[in-house]
Amino acid sequence: MTSILFDPDFAGPADWAALYRQLGLQVVPAKMPREDKAWKRPIIKWREYEGSLTDDATYAGWYGPQGEFRNRENMGLITGAASGNVWVLDIDSHNHPQAMKWLQALIDEWNDGIPLRTATQRTGGGGVQIFFSAPDGWVPPTNKTSMGIDIRGAGGFAMLPPSMHESGVNYAWIKSYEPWLVGIMEAPSWIIEAVDELLSQFTKVERGERTESPAQAVDSFGQIVDGREDYMTRLIWGRVVSLYRECPFDPLDGHQLEMREAWKLYDSNVKSRLFEPGTPNHVRLEREGRGPSLFAQKWDQAISQWNTKVKEAAALPAPEKKLESPQERQQDEDVDLSPEDIMEDVFEWLDVMGIKNLPDPEWLIAKIIIARSLGFIYGTPGAGKSFIALGIALCIAAGMKDWWGREIKHTGPVIYISSEGVSDIKFRIRAWETALNINADELPFFLIHQTIDFMKEEDTNKLLRTINKVVQTTGEMPVF
């Protein structure tokens, strides 16, 4: 990166905002501590600005010569797609010494103990926030842990210098690690792997785990999980306890039908923070770790306590107040759900500007198949459609660089559904192995050979459960 000339000692709020915009960051005006107890958030409605950098007119309305907020000291960054996939590793070193030990151990092991040369700031509360850009293929999540390590990624928000903290201390860039000098580096693979591992532990819920309060689940660090996951937990617990009151006999099927009905309520009341127009909400929630897999896991956990905690809770008088939805809960956190986050029961619609701001297509196979899309191979009987489909699927599962000269952009697990002609697929796979001199025995390629009626809800739900089982087996989402 080429250094940008910037003098923080003589810069006003509008100058700071112009710097961040020059760096490609989505800077927005934020609240002051005196204005709101939950002040660490934008003062504007900001969800519409998650997908891409604002246009010049909008920015000028905030920070231009006549901008409404040009003299407002507090400002922040919308992390994720709007800022070029920049994300923040938030280390609360002030209150959680183990958080900095976790980071230092990683740096000692992978970078010879040398701090990473990327933009790093000291928060007004005494913590450290390190800025990275996300590599292709990895969507930075937004999540919290109880050990003082938080991730601000897709749909997240972080305060920026020169914002004033409630302590009276300004946020400030650490000397020699200012973004106009060192830039924002792409996160190395070992940081990505460490974050994924940390969050997998954080979101893990042990089956049959006993908690102090059965109405809430705890993560593996012993902290009650809040936000959407907390809403999920309370919704599930309330429904399972109600089922016990209706019929206390131990369910043989785990009340799967009731679980699906509860999931529909959850899916309608929360919204993914990933900005991907055209991708269903439940798919984006699953990629965030807030989707059907976690819902089924928490449901099973509650059912496993049917004759213990559920029975005890059901013996108490039923509460008169209905379960709160996310919009009825406000929490003093840096990132929180607001009424704009709640999905309305309408299809998403876009005006012309919204269409133009859609992200460019991401190819699965260059110029042939778009990632996360629905496509069709059509032709007369015997034309070779199945051979083409199977060949593409095996190449993707094998991690090959191209298919007939067309670059394969993403590789990984493949789920192949075929309800006819199953008996000869093994011969086709052997022929593919022979032609390419590849052994396919260990490839993440999975065949579903039963007939599936996509007009029947029970079939589609069974397919979703099957896919989730494959994900649990491979540890990866299927790419095709």
Side-chain angles (χ1 to χ4, degrees):
M1 169 191 165
T2 302
S3 296
I4 297 174
L5 294 177
F6 182 75
D7 190 341
D9 294 331
F10 295 94
D15 299 317
W16 282 97
L19 165 71
Y20 297 136
R21 186 167 176 84
Q22 188 176 353
L23 290 168
L25 304 178
Q26 185 77 299
V27 58
V28 296
K31 296 180 180 180
M32 303 293 292
R34 64 177 180 273
E35 295 174 329
D36 194 334
K37 180 181 178 182
W39 57 273
K40 295 180 182 177
R41 48 176 59 96
I43 197 170
I44 59 171
K45 292 183 178 181
W46 58 290
R47 291 300 178 187
E48 63 185 285
Y49 303 118
E50 288 182 16
S52 60
L53 203 63
T54 55
D55 59 78
D56 291 340
T58 300
Y59 172 79
W62 297 338
Y63 294 111
Q66 305 299 322
E68 181 180 0
F69 305 105
R70 64 173 288 102
N71 295 316
R72 173 172 284 263
E73 188 175 33
N74 278 24
M75 61 187 67
L77 165 73
I78 298 179
T79 53
S83 297
N85 288 323
V86 165
W87 62 282
V88 178
L89 180 61
D90 188 343
I91 306 292
D92 185 4
S93 55
H94 182 68
N95 297 313
H96 296 83
Q98 70 271 28
M100 185 56 76
K101 290 180 180 178
W102 174 85
L103 177 63
Q104 191 59 53
L106 284 174
I107 293 176
D108 289 344
E109 180 179 359
W110 294 98
N111 208 48
D112 296 326
I114 303 171
L116 294 169
R117 292 286 291 170
T118 189
T120 306
Q121 72 170 341
R122 180 76 62 183
T123 71
V128 173
Q129 292 184 336
I130 306 172
F131 290 64
F132 297 101
S133 66
D136 291 340
W138 187 70
V139 178
T142 291
N143 215 329
K144 295 176 178 288
T145 77
S146 61
M147 63 182 292
I149 301 172
D150 299 339
I151 311 299
R152 312 285 171 77
F157 178 75
M159 301 296 291
L160 290 173
S163 298
M164 177 67 72
H165 191 268
E166 60 188 355
S167 64
V169 177
N170 291 88
Y171 287 72
W173 295 106
I174 293 177
K175 186 174 177 57
S176 300
Y177 290 87
E178 298 95 337
W180 60 89
L181 294 179
V182 299
I184 298 176
M185 71 178 294
E186 181 176 296
S189 59
W190 50 271
I191 284 285
I192 300 298
E193 292 169 5
V195 166
D196 285 342
E197 174 62 23
L198 179 69
L199 295 184
S200 70
Q201 295 173 15
F202 169 71
T203 56
K204 183 178 180 182
V205 178
E206 295 294 336
R207 182 180 178 87
E209 180 181 6
R210 299 179 68 86
T211 67
E212 284 294 321
S213 171
Q216 294 170 315
V218 299
D219 58 52
S220 57
F221 294 101
Q223 183 186 37
I224 294 174
V225 180
D226 58 5
R228 291 172 295 176
E229 190 168 343
D230 178 55
Y231 172 63
M232 178 193 293
T233 302
R234 293 181 300 110
L235 187 154
I236 289 172
W237 185 259
R239 184 59 189 134
V240 170
V241 171
S242 295
L243 289 172
Y244 190 98
R245 291 192 180 108
E246 295 169 8
C247 181
F249 298 109
D250 202 348
L252 297 177
D253 64 351
H255 287 303
Q256 293 301 303
L257 179 59
E258 286 79 5
M259 182 188 75
R260 290 194 289 272
E261 291 302 314
W263 162 258
K264 290 180 182 178
L265 177 61
Y266 171 82
D267 187 35
S268 67
N269 277 341
V270 301
K271 182 179 179 181
S272 169
R273 290 172 174 157
L274 299 181
F275 183 81
E276 291 184 4
T279 302
N281 188 53
H282 72 273
V283 174
R284 290 178 286 152
L285 285 171
E286 182 70 16
R287 290 172 57 195
E288 289 185 277
R290 302 290 196 285
S293 295
L294 183 64
F295 196 93
Q297 186 180 14
K298 285 179 177 288
W299 184 274
D300 289 344
Q301 181 196 17
I303 293 295
S304 72
Q305 301 178 75
W306 184 263
N307 293 313
T308 54
K309 292 292 186 180
V310 174
K311 181 178 179 180
E312 294 171 12
L316 300 174
E320 294 183 4
K321 185 178 180 180
K322 294 182 180 180
L323 180 69
E324 293 176 338
S325 64
Q327 60 264 50
E328 293 172 315
R329 290 173 54 84
Q330 289 294 324
Q331 302 175 34
D332 184 18
E333 302 291 347
D334 286 14
V335 180
D336 194 11
L337 291 178
S338 63
E340 288 80 21
D341 292 313
I342 308 305
M343 175 177 286
E344 298 182 50
D345 190 23
V346 297
F347 288 110
E348 181 179 15
W349 51 271
L350 298 172
D351 58 18
V352 173
M353 287 302 297
I355 296 170
K356 290 181 178 180
N357 287 326
L358 286 173
D360 293 337
E362 179 183 355
W363 294 102
L364 182 62
I365 297 181
K367 305 300 181 181
I368 295 181
I369 300 176
I370 296 175
R372 296 184 296 277
S373 67
L374 174 66
F376 297 88
I377 300 174
Y378 61 94
T380 58
K385 299 183 296 296
S386 297
F387 280 97
I388 291 174
L390 187 61
I392 290 174
L394 289 169
C395 287
I396 290 173
M400 297 182 65
K401 294 182 178 180
D402 68 89
W403 178 79
W404 288 90
R406 299 282 187 173
E407 182 182 4
I408 298 176
K409 301 286 188 177
H410 300 284
T411 60
V414 173
I415 297 176
Y416 191 93
I417 303 171
S418 178
S419 59
E420 63 178 8
V422 173
S423 60
D424 67 347
I425 283 184
K426 63 181 180 181
F427 301 118
R428 299 186 182 198
I429 292 177
R430 288 173 183 169
W432 181 86
E433 290 178 311
T434 300
L436 298 178
N437 194 27
I438 295 176
N439 188 322
D441 290 353
E442 303 298 325
L443 296 186
F445 175 89
F446 305 94
L447 171 68
I448 297 175
H449 57 83
Q450 290 87 358
T451 298
I452 299 173
D453 187 343
F454 287 92
M455 298 302 291
K456 290 184 178 179
E457 184 179 9
E458 57 266 33
D459 276 20
T460 55
N461 284 328
K462 186 174 182 179
L463 175 59
L464 286 173
R465 293 194 299 272
T466 304
I467 294 172
N468 288 334
K469 192 68 175 178
V470 171
V471 171
Q472 293 173 17
T473 300
T474 64
E476 298 181 76
M477 288 291 289
V479 298
F480 193 49

